[in-house]
mmCIF file of all heavy atoms in Angstrom:
data_model
loop_
_atom_site.group_PDB
_atom_site.id
_atom_site.type_symbol
_atom_site.label_atom_id
_atom_site.label_comp_id
_atom_site.label_asym_id
_atom_site.label_seq_id
_atom_site.Cartn_x
_atom_site.Cartn_y
_atom_site.Cartn_z
ATOM 1 N N VAL A 236 -14.245 104.496 -57.545
ATOM 2 C CA VAL A 236 -14.875 104.573 -58.881
ATOM 3 C C VAL A 236 -16.245 103.969 -58.683
ATOM 4 O O VAL A 236 -16.372 102.844 -58.248
ATOM 5 C CB VAL A 236 -14.027 103.840 -59.913
ATOM 6 C CG1 VAL A 236 -14.679 103.946 -61.273
ATOM 7 C CG2 VAL A 236 -12.572 104.360 -59.926
ATOM 8 N N MET A 237 -17.294 104.714 -59.006
ATOM 9 C CA MET A 237 -18.638 104.219 -58.641
ATOM 10 C C MET A 237 -19.664 104.581 -59.702
ATOM 11 O O MET A 237 -19.567 105.446 -60.572
ATOM 12 C CB MET A 237 -19.038 104.929 -57.320
ATOM 13 C CG MET A 237 -19.296 106.462 -57.455
ATOM 14 S SD MET A 237 -19.819 107.217 -55.961
ATOM 15 C CE MET A 237 -18.228 107.243 -55.050
ATOM 16 N N LEU A 238 -20.786 103.820 -59.555
ATOM 17 C CA LEU A 238 -22.045 104.168 -60.248
ATOM 18 C C LEU A 238 -22.910 104.791 -59.186
ATOM 19 O O LEU A 238 -23.313 104.100 -58.189
ATOM 20 C CB LEU A 238 -22.711 102.881 -60.870
ATOM 21 C CG LEU A 238 -22.006 102.327 -62.089
ATOM 22 C CD1 LEU A 238 -22.624 100.977 -62.469
ATOM 23 C CD2 LEU A 238 -22.080 103.310 -63.266
ATOM 24 N N TRP A 239 -23.157 106.095 -59.310
ATOM 25 C CA TRP A 239 -23.966 106.836 -58.303
ATOM 26 C C TRP A 239 -25.263 107.330 -58.950
ATOM 27 O O TRP A 239 -25.247 107.787 -60.087
ATOM 28 C CB TRP A 239 -23.082 107.999 -57.843
ATOM 29 C CG TRP A 239 -23.844 108.943 -56.922
ATOM 30 C CD1 TRP A 239 -24.324 110.172 -57.220
ATOM 31 C CD2 TRP A 239 -24.173 108.706 -55.567
ATOM 32 N NE1 TRP A 239 -24.925 110.757 -56.129
ATOM 33 C CE2 TRP A 239 -24.903 109.840 -55.063
ATOM 34 C CE3 TRP A 239 -24.013 107.655 -54.684
ATOM 35 C CZ2 TRP A 239 -25.393 109.946 -53.796
ATOM 36 C CZ3 TRP A 239 -24.500 107.735 -53.416
ATOM 37 C CH2 TRP A 239 -25.153 108.876 -52.966
ATOM 38 N N PRO A 240 -26.384 107.222 -58.221
ATOM 39 C CA PRO A 240 -27.678 107.589 -58.819
ATOM 40 C C PRO A 240 -27.713 109.016 -59.347
ATOM 41 O O PRO A 240 -27.278 109.977 -58.704
ATOM 42 C CB PRO A 240 -28.684 107.454 -57.648
ATOM 43 C CG PRO A 240 -28.021 106.489 -56.700
ATOM 44 C CD PRO A 240 -26.521 106.741 -56.824
ATOM 45 N N THR A 241 -28.257 109.211 -60.537
ATOM 46 C CA THR A 241 -28.433 110.497 -61.112
ATOM 47 C C THR A 241 -29.331 111.381 -60.186
ATOM 48 O O THR A 241 -29.107 112.605 -60.098
ATOM 49 C CB THR A 241 -29.064 110.386 -62.519
ATOM 50 O OG1 THR A 241 -28.226 109.579 -63.330
ATOM 51 C CG2 THR A 241 -29.299 111.723 -63.177
ATOM 52 N N SER A 242 -30.257 110.778 -59.545
ATOM 53 C CA SER A 242 -31.177 111.451 -58.635
ATOM 54 C C SER A 242 -30.479 111.904 -57.329
ATOM 55 O O SER A 242 -31.051 112.663 -56.593
ATOM 56 C CB SER A 242 -32.354 110.590 -58.304
ATOM 57 O OG SER A 242 -31.891 109.512 -57.494
ATOM 58 N N ASN A 243 -29.292 111.404 -57.080
ATOM 59 C CA ASN A 243 -28.571 111.655 -55.820
ATOM 60 C C ASN A 243 -29.239 111.034 -54.643
ATOM 61 O O ASN A 243 -28.988 111.414 -53.471
ATOM 62 C CB ASN A 243 -28.342 113.120 -55.563
ATOM 63 C CG ASN A 243 -27.542 113.762 -56.716
ATOM 64 O OD1 ASN A 243 -26.413 113.377 -56.961
ATOM 65 N ND2 ASN A 243 -28.088 114.791 -57.361
ATOM 66 N N ASP A 244 -30.155 110.060 -54.865
ATOM 67 C CA ASP A 244 -30.893 109.351 -53.825
ATOM 68 C C ASP A 244 -30.162 107.965 -53.624
ATOM 69 O O ASP A 244 -30.299 107.069 -54.409
ATOM 70 C CB ASP A 244 -32.325 109.174 -54.188
ATOM 71 C CG ASP A 244 -33.151 108.469 -53.095
ATOM 72 O OD1 ASP A 244 -32.547 108.033 -52.130
ATOM 73 O OD2 ASP A 244 -34.372 108.375 -53.283
ATOM 74 N N ALA A 245 -29.443 107.891 -52.519
ATOM 75 C CA ALA A 245 -28.673 106.655 -52.260
ATOM 76 C C ALA A 245 -29.510 105.400 -52.215
ATOM 77 O O ALA A 245 -29.015 104.294 -52.392
ATOM 78 C CB ALA A 245 -27.804 106.825 -51.014
ATOM 79 N N SER A 246 -30.777 105.564 -51.829
ATOM 80 C CA SER A 246 -31.658 104.412 -51.723
ATOM 81 C C SER A 246 -31.869 103.705 -53.077
ATOM 82 O O SER A 246 -32.300 102.603 -53.147
ATOM 83 C CB SER A 246 -32.978 104.831 -51.148
ATOM 84 O OG SER A 246 -33.732 105.597 -52.080
ATOM 85 N N GLU A 247 -31.489 104.396 -54.171
ATOM 86 C CA GLU A 247 -31.628 103.785 -55.516
ATOM 87 C C GLU A 247 -30.446 102.899 -55.873
ATOM 88 O O GLU A 247 -30.427 102.293 -56.936
ATOM 89 C CB GLU A 247 -31.782 104.899 -56.592
ATOM 90 C CG GLU A 247 -33.088 105.624 -56.470
ATOM 91 C CD GLU A 247 -33.316 106.648 -57.546
ATOM 92 O OE1 GLU A 247 -32.449 106.786 -58.441
ATOM 93 O OE2 GLU A 247 -34.291 107.399 -57.467
ATOM 94 N N GLY A 248 -29.445 102.838 -55.000
ATOM 95 C CA GLY A 248 -28.369 101.942 -55.188
ATOM 96 C C GLY A 248 -27.070 102.629 -55.559
ATOM 97 O O GLY A 248 -27.007 103.451 -56.446
ATOM 98 N N GLU A 249 -26.016 102.265 -54.807
ATOM 99 C CA GLU A 249 -24.655 102.768 -55.104
ATOM 100 C C GLU A 249 -23.725 101.551 -55.314
ATOM 101 O O GLU A 249 -23.741 100.568 -54.576
ATOM 102 C CB GLU A 249 -24.126 103.592 -53.947
ATOM 103 C CG GLU A 249 -22.629 103.980 -54.014
ATOM 104 C CD GLU A 249 -22.130 104.559 -52.766
ATOM 105 O OE1 GLU A 249 -22.937 104.899 -51.858
ATOM 106 O OE2 GLU A 249 -20.895 104.686 -52.616
ATOM 107 N N VAL A 250 -22.928 101.595 -56.376
ATOM 108 C CA VAL A 250 -22.032 100.471 -56.674
ATOM 109 C C VAL A 250 -20.651 101.028 -56.834
ATOM 110 O O VAL A 250 -20.372 101.855 -57.670
ATOM 111 C CB VAL A 250 -22.453 99.745 -57.955
ATOM 112 C CG1 VAL A 250 -21.526 98.549 -58.203
ATOM 113 C CG2 VAL A 250 -23.926 99.290 -57.869
ATOM 114 N N ASP A 251 -19.714 100.555 -55.987
ATOM 115 C CA ASP A 251 -18.326 101.035 -55.981
ATOM 116 C C ASP A 251 -17.358 99.924 -56.409
ATOM 117 O O ASP A 251 -17.292 98.891 -55.759
ATOM 118 C CB ASP A 251 -17.953 101.509 -54.577
ATOM 119 C CG ASP A 251 -18.913 102.561 -54.060
ATOM 120 O OD1 ASP A 251 -18.917 103.653 -54.539
ATOM 121 O OD2 ASP A 251 -19.733 102.220 -53.122
ATOM 122 N N TYR A 252 -16.592 100.225 -57.457
ATOM 123 C CA TYR A 252 -15.557 99.255 -57.883
ATOM 124 C C TYR A 252 -14.691 99.897 -58.962
ATOM 125 O O TYR A 252 -15.166 100.300 -59.984
ATOM 126 C CB TYR A 252 -16.212 97.947 -58.537
ATOM 127 C CG TYR A 252 -15.164 96.951 -59.007
ATOM 128 C CD1 TYR A 252 -14.285 96.408 -58.129
ATOM 129 C CD2 TYR A 252 -15.195 96.536 -60.291
ATOM 130 C CE1 TYR A 252 -13.322 95.472 -58.491
ATOM 131 C CE2 TYR A 252 -14.254 95.582 -60.758
ATOM 132 C CZ TYR A 252 -13.334 95.085 -59.837
ATOM 133 O OH TYR A 252 -12.408 94.099 -60.255
ATOM 134 N N PRO A 253 -13.410 100.003 -58.608
ATOM 135 C CA PRO A 253 -12.746 99.673 -57.356
ATOM 136 C C PRO A 253 -12.916 100.789 -56.305
ATOM 137 O O PRO A 253 -13.028 101.954 -56.636
ATOM 138 C CB PRO A 253 -11.313 99.483 -57.763
ATOM 139 C CG PRO A 253 -11.120 100.532 -58.839
ATOM 140 C CD PRO A 253 -12.402 100.561 -59.552
ATOM 141 N N GLU A 254 -12.865 100.421 -55.059
ATOM 142 C CA GLU A 254 -12.884 101.376 -53.927
ATOM 143 C C GLU A 254 -11.992 100.888 -52.817
ATOM 144 O O GLU A 254 -11.860 99.684 -52.607
ATOM 145 C CB GLU A 254 -14.316 101.571 -53.400
ATOM 146 C CG GLU A 254 -14.371 102.603 -52.282
ATOM 147 C CD GLU A 254 -15.709 102.657 -51.548
ATOM 148 O OE1 GLU A 254 -16.512 101.787 -51.781
ATOM 149 O OE2 GLU A 254 -15.898 103.607 -50.738
ATOM 150 N N GLY A 255 -11.487 101.842 -52.033
ATOM 151 C CA GLY A 255 -10.741 101.454 -50.819
ATOM 152 C C GLY A 255 -9.592 102.403 -50.543
ATOM 153 O O GLY A 255 -9.188 103.272 -51.357
ATOM 154 N N SER A 256 -9.028 102.157 -49.396
ATOM 155 C CA SER A 256 -7.796 102.875 -48.992
ATOM 156 C C SER A 256 -6.596 102.329 -49.707
ATOM 157 O O SER A 256 -6.557 101.076 -49.981
ATOM 158 C CB SER A 256 -7.617 102.781 -47.452
ATOM 159 O OG SER A 256 -6.306 103.130 -47.097
#
Side-chain angles (χ1 to χ4, degrees):
V236 181
M237 68 178 76
L238 289 171
W239 174 255
T241 301
S242 67
N243 300 302
D244 182 354
S246 69
E247 294 182 5
E249 170 189 349
V250 182
D251 306 288
Y252 179 58
E254 181 189 11
S256 165

